[in-house]
């Protein structure tokens, strides 16, 4: 994947994950890719993948179950600003 150098990579990846939530690829209650899976899929650093997860959690879009993974929130916020990125 080619990233836009004018925007942080984590925000670009978070936007892709948000889009997948919107289009039903990741419906509410389903598990999203782990930090390591995002790293592999997008060719980003682990720290960048962790920022993606933190940002989506801060927006209320995902929650984490210790030892289980991260899941799409069942009650997604009504309006999301794709550019906000949470952090």
């Amino acid at each position: 994947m080619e990233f836009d150098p004018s925007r942080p990579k984590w925000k670009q990846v978070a936007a892709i994950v948000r889009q997948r939530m919107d289009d039903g690829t990741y419906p509410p209650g389903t598990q999203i890719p782990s930090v390591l899976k995002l790293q592999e899929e997008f060719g980003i650093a682990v720290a960048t993948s962790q920022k993606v997860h933190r940002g989506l959690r801060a927006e209320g879009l995902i929650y984490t179950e210790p030892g289980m993974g991260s899941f799409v929130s069942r009650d997604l916020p009504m309006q999301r600003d794709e550019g906000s990125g949470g952090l």
Side-chain angles (χ1 to χ4, degrees):
M1 169 172 185
E2 286 195 37
F3 290 99
D4 176 353
S6 69
R7 293 181 56 217
K9 287 180 184 177
W10 77 268
K11 286 188 177 186
Q12 294 177 64
V13 173
I16 291 167
V17 174
R18 271 189 230 99
Q19 178 60 43
R20 291 176 181 174
M21 290 177 195
D22 289 341
D23 71 15
T25 302
Y26 303 145
T30 61
Q31 189 170 12
I32 67 163
S34 68
V35 167
L36 293 177
K37 294 281 186 191
L38 288 178
Q39 178 213 10
E40 292 171 5
E41 180 179 351
F42 293 100
I44 55 178
V46 170
T48 304
S49 295
Q50 290 169 333
K51 264 188 147 172
V52 171
H53 274 250
R54 278 196 308 268
L56 295 171
R57 255 193 318 277
E59 290 180 64
L61 300 178
I62 65 170
Y63 63 95
T64 300
E65 291 286 338
M68 301 279 298
S70 295
F71 300 83
V72 178
S73 295
R74 293 192 185 277
D75 298 315
L76 292 175
M78 290 300 288
Q79 291 187 339
R80 288 183 273 165
D81 177 8
E82 187 173 305
S84 69
L87 296 177

